[in-house]
Amino acid sequence: MNQASSNPNSNGATTTGAGSAVGGAAPSPTFSPLYQQIKALITQSLQSGEWKPGELIPSEVELAGRYKVSQGTVRKAIDELAAEHLVVRRQGKGTFVATHNEARAHFRFLKLMPDEGVPQHFEHEYLEVKRIRAPAEVARLLDLKSGDAVVYIKRLMSDSGAPTILEELWLPGVLFKGLTGERLAEYKGPMYGLFESEFGTRMIRATEKIRAVAADAPTALALKVAEGTPLLCADRVSFTYGDKAVELRRGLYLTAKHHYQNELS
């Protein structure tokens, strides 16, 4: 691959002109640190599938040679990619492409934790899986046209046999062509692992809106609680590379024995 574009200045950053001056004012330079350029190039390789989820990527020395930069610059780029959970460093083994099939990845997006004991994988039951036309709000959040095909999934998640989470998901139909209830039911790993391995779609970040709601009659029946029981509602949009929205998920959480836990940094 070609080395990083533009030449670094003495501060390890590149300068690009901001266009012609308006009204005689001098153009304002835009600085792009060199390590950010290297980070972008590595991300492009991850996005293109040059290095698959779970695979070892080239060493810092090899990447420095490839991009004609210092090893320190590469290290700083990888530090940021690791902080964003795109790669994982393993002591004595190297740096690997992050994968949703790792146990710790499961709890990165599932934030409901038991009040007592250690987090366990929830049992899940798929109540509905079908292709539908995207409602206007779903289409807007997934950057689709109203009426485009989406895969709709409704599932119940239980902790030690006790219904705890009722989820609805909407996925772009083009990206998830062939996804069926049968395939979801037979897959034993985390759902995001299936999306990654069979549909080439990796969730790398998400935004959430959380509010308190009261259980309506169908939700109360599914969760085996009284109608009007307080629930935590989390609406999440998940994104893949290039900030492309690829999943809308609404989770209704019963918090009698669980709590929502997030880490802020």
Side-chain angles (χ1 to χ4, degrees):
M1 180 178 286
N2 294 332
Q3 68 184 71
S5 59
S6 303
N7 293 320
N9 63 14
S10 58
N11 294 319
T14 59
T15 305
T16 56
S20 58
V22 177
S28 300
T30 301
F31 295 98
S32 176
L34 185 56
Y35 79 90
Q36 289 282 1
Q37 297 179 55
I38 302 306
K39 175 187 174 184
L41 291 172
I42 295 173
T43 301
Q44 287 173 14
S45 291
L46 295 173
Q47 183 175 2
S48 70
E50 179 180 350
W51 309 310
K52 301 292 191 298
E55 285 186 354
L56 178 70
I57 72 170
S59 69
E60 292 176 1
V61 173
E62 292 172 314
L63 290 172
R66 173 175 178 166
Y67 298 128
K68 306 295 190 295
V69 296
S70 72
Q71 188 177 344
T73 297
V74 171
R75 183 177 299 116
K76 192 168 183 180
I78 292 178
D79 282 344
E80 286 208 354
L81 292 169
E84 294 171 7
H85 305 285
L86 296 184
V87 299
V88 177
R89 281 196 168 104
R90 293 178 185 156
Q91 187 66 33
K93 294 183 179 180
T95 301
F96 294 76
V97 182
T99 171
H100 287 296
N101 285 308
E102 294 176 348
R104 61 181 170 180
H106 178 73
F107 298 104
R108 182 180 163 216
F109 288 91
L110 181 58
K111 300 294 187 180
L112 198 69
M113 299 294 171
D115 291 338
E116 298 181 2
V118 297
Q120 301 290 336
H121 290 283
F122 285 83
E123 306 132 24
H124 48 261
E125 174 189 357
Y126 292 97
L127 306 177
E128 281 188 81
V129 180
K130 59 186 179 182
R131 291 179 71 88
I132 62 173
R133 293 188 180 278
E137 182 67 2
V138 171
R140 183 183 69 81
L141 292 170
L142 291 178
D143 197 22
L144 302 172
K145 295 179 180 177
S146 185
D148 279 357
V150 292
V151 178
Y152 171 77
I153 301 169
K154 186 175 185 178
R155 70 173 180 172
L156 181 66
M157 302 176 69
S158 301
D159 184 6
S160 300
T164 307
I165 304 172
L166 185 63
E167 283 190 329
E168 292 180 289
L169 295 83
W170 295 264
L171 307 164
V174 172
L175 290 178
F176 292 91
K177 187 176 181 180
L179 181 61
T180 64
E182 292 75 16
R183 184 66 191 103
L184 284 165
E186 69 184 16
Y187 187 77
K188 301 306 179 186
M191 181 184 284
Y192 280 179
L194 175 66
F195 294 171
E196 175 185 271
S197 61
E198 296 196 13
F199 297 93
T201 301
R202 173 170 169 73
M203 311 300 181
I204 62 175
R205 75 172 187 90
T207 61
E208 277 189 331
K209 294 181 179 179
I210 302 174
R211 64 186 187 277
V213 299
D216 59 18
T219 302
L221 183 63
L223 293 175
K224 298 182 180 178
V225 296
E227 188 173 349
T229 296
L231 302 173
L232 193 65
C233 176
D235 289 327
R236 177 200 303 169
V237 180
S238 297
F239 300 83
T240 189
Y241 297 105
D243 260 0
K244 179 177 174 58
V246 287
E247 179 202 55
L248 172 62
R249 180 182 301 225
R250 170 166 293 167
L252 294 168
Y253 299 153
L254 188 61
T255 58
K257 296 182 180 179
H258 295 77
H259 60 273
Y260 188 94
Q261 180 174 308
N262 203 356
E263 294 184 10
L264 305 177
S265 60

